[in-house]
Amino acid sequence: MTAGETKPAESARSIAWARRRQAAGRVWREFATDRGGLIGLIVLAIIVLLAVLAPVLTNEADLNVTTTELPPRDPPSADAWLGTDRNGVSVLLLIWWGARVSLLIGFSAALLSVFIGTAVGILAAHFGGWPSTILMRLTDFFLVLPTLVLAIALAAVLPRGLGTIVLAIGVASWPTTARLVRAQTLTIEARPYIERSRALGAGHAHLIGKHVLPAVLPLVFANTTLVVANSIIAESTLSFLGVGDPSRPSWGGILQAAFSSGAATQGAWWYLLPPGIGIVIVVLCFTLCGRALETVLNPRLRGQG
């Protein structure tokens, strides 16, 4: 390849990246005009930052029930701002470290769910025929199954741990994404530039990788924020029902321990409210961000706004 052939290729690549940066900047400016989405993003950033810095700002050894010196089920005080649990461990510390587990499972399960759903949706819409029929019947099968029941069954059969919870939630929650991506892919496949690419001899990998996937990704990204919120709720539900990972604190696990120890009947509100409020705030923030992204990335919704 000569220098003259290399320069046009590099120039086209630089132009493509420049357009992507401009598009990203435009999306951010429009997203910033949505007050609810911006507030949700700021609160999420703070929560994620605190969760990441938990090993730096706190001592994990204080979660050990055998070394704690605080009285059990003690109301909020200067020593424990949110009181203590049934074992004398600070509830604030449990919430702090539980955020790491809940967010980790939420993000991981959402990525697994979105990956499976995106792959199934694109392949079903692109190839059509019998591959589409098989993939969509498989999607319908998982869609009619109760997501929570399927996740509980998988979590109960497989060895208990974070990986099992991620797998159970991800496998049980991908059909909605698959149907959404399939509908968007069918719209993209009908566009003229796809027909021109096919006429010029473009293969399946080129069409999917260069045209379909980049056009679908904005919708997938917006949907991911909503899937993360659903995954956090699913993880909290599984932990509350006793099929989570008992070796790590999570918000659902804290709620389960509080109810099983009679915190509700004994008036230990500081043991019940913080994990529930944490779940509500995080899910609400992800929902606000997802709705704001949908408004920005969907021209019809943006027009209505």
Side-chain angles (χ1 to χ4, degrees):
M1 182 179 292
T2 64
E5 294 175 345
T6 305
K7 288 182 179 179
E10 294 177 352
S11 177
R13 192 176 298 111
S14 62
I15 292 174
W17 278 108
R19 289 178 177 175
R20 288 172 185 153
R21 286 193 295 268
Q22 291 176 359
R26 184 170 60 254
V27 168
W28 167 249
R29 288 191 296 271
E30 294 177 358
F31 179 88
T33 60
D34 190 304
R35 184 174 300 178
L38 189 60
I39 293 175
L41 182 63
I42 293 173
V43 174
L44 274 180
I46 295 173
I47 293 175
V48 171
L49 182 63
L50 289 175
V52 171
L53 294 178
V56 178
L57 301 177
T58 64
N59 186 5
E60 188 177 8
D62 293 335
L63 295 173
N64 193 337
V65 299
T66 61
T67 59
T68 182
E69 299 179 355
L70 298 173
R73 205 176 281 109
D74 192 45
S77 62
D79 295 328
W81 292 357
L82 292 180
T84 60
D85 68 349
R86 59 183 177 180
N87 298 313
V89 178
S90 170
V91 173
L92 176 60
L93 197 62
L94 286 171
I95 297 297
W96 201 334
W97 281 84
R100 292 170 57 87
V101 175
S102 295
L103 289 173
L104 176 62
I105 293 178
F107 279 115
S108 301
L111 290 176
L112 177 61
S113 172
V114 169
F115 174 78
I116 297 174
T118 301
V120 171
I122 289 178
L123 293 177
H126 178 77
F127 288 101
W130 64 265
S132 176
T133 301
I134 294 176
L135 290 175
M136 295 315 298
R137 294 296 77 77
L138 181 65
T139 302
D140 292 339
F141 172 76
F142 277 93
L143 194 62
V144 298
L145 290 177
T147 302
L148 184 59
V149 174
L150 179 59
I152 291 175
L154 290 174
V157 171
L158 299 175
R160 300 181 71 174
L162 294 184
T164 297
I165 300 299
V166 170
L167 181 63
I169 297 174
V171 169
S173 59
W174 62 266
T176 303
T177 301
R179 297 183 70 87
L180 182 67
V181 170
R182 177 180 177 272
Q184 182 69 8
T185 304
L186 288 174
T187 302
I188 296 168
E189 293 269 355
R191 293 176 180 174
Y193 67 87
I194 299 292
E195 295 296 331
R196 288 195 295 267
S197 297
R198 283 200 180 97
L200 292 173
H204 296 298
H206 177 84
L207 288 173
I208 293 175
K210 295 294 184 180
H211 299 299
V212 176
L213 187 59
V216 170
L217 279 181
L219 179 64
V220 171
F221 183 65
N223 182 65
T224 301
T225 58
L226 302 177
V227 176
V228 173
N230 293 332
S231 298
I232 291 176
I233 294 176
E235 183 278 328
S236 301
T237 304
L238 292 176
S239 297
F240 182 78
L241 294 176
V243 293
D245 186 356
S247 64
R248 296 173 181 267
S250 68
W251 290 340
I254 298 172
L255 282 174
Q256 193 273 340
F259 272 97
S260 64
S261 64
T265 58
Q266 297 177 16
W269 57 266
W270 61 88
Y271 196 7
L272 288 169
L273 289 182
I277 293 175
I279 295 171
V280 171
I281 291 176
V282 170
V283 171
L284 177 61
C285 289
F286 273 112
T287 302
L288 290 174
C289 290
R291 296 306 181 191
L293 278 175
E294 281 187 338
T295 304
V296 171
L297 299 175
N298 191 328
R300 290 175 294 181
L301 294 178
R302 188 167 63 245
Q304 293 174 3

